[in-house]
Amino acid sequence: IANVYMDEDYLSIEMQSQWYCGGVFSKNSSGLNFDLHSGKLISVSALFSSPEAAKDAVVRESIRYIDTAPNQQAISENAKETIKNYDISKLEFCFDQEYICVFYHTYELGDGYLGPVTVLIKR
């Protein structure tokens, strides 16, 4: 477990996994996020006014990351389409009082040396 956040409504837990294979070390983050009133897992949409607003924010900030990333050569040519077509109900994320951290695992948006991508969205 890397980070834990809790308020009166939600519990958010960030977990990290690491592996070493064929001379390459990598790590990914994932999240478990709960509604404390129902005890059920939530998707990122629960933190927005609607699923559409969640999708718009995730796509906008993820594409902004792609457009400004310092290692452009590592980003796949279809990274933006991957983001636009992502099922945000399956999105890995965690959050705190200020930010929602969206996690794309190694190889989702580019070459292995791009590594995992974390996109911050202001709450």
Side-chain angles (χ1 to χ4, degrees), residues 1-3 14-18 27-30 103:
I1 295 179
N3 289 301
E14 177 190 359
M15 301 168 293
Q16 291 184 342
S17 61
Q18 302 175 1
K27 70 177 182 176
N28 286 320
S29 292
S30 58
F103 305 120

Side-chain angles (χ1 to χ4, degrees), residues 62-73:
S62 298
I63 288 176
R64 184 183 323 227
Y65 173 89
I66 293 296
D67 288 341
T68 61
N71 45 354
Q72 289 289 311
Q73 69 279 7

Side-chain angles (χ1 to χ4, degrees), residues 41-57:
L41 286 170
I42 61 166
S43 73
V44 72
S45 297
L47 303 175
F48 290 86
S49 60
S50 69
E52 295 79 18
K55 176 83 173 187
D56 289 347

Side-chain angles (χ1 to χ4, degrees), residues 89-120:
S89 70
K90 298 181 184 338
L91 192 67
E92 293 284 352
F93 74 101
C94 71
F95 62 96
D96 63 17
Q97 66 274 15
E98 293 185 61
Y99 293 100
I100 300 166
C101 302
V102 173
F103 305 120
Y104 296 99
H105 289 183
T106 303
Y107 302 109
E108 279 190 288
L109 299 181
D111 297 337
Y113 71 93
L114 176 64
V117 171
T118 300
V119 175
L120 297 178

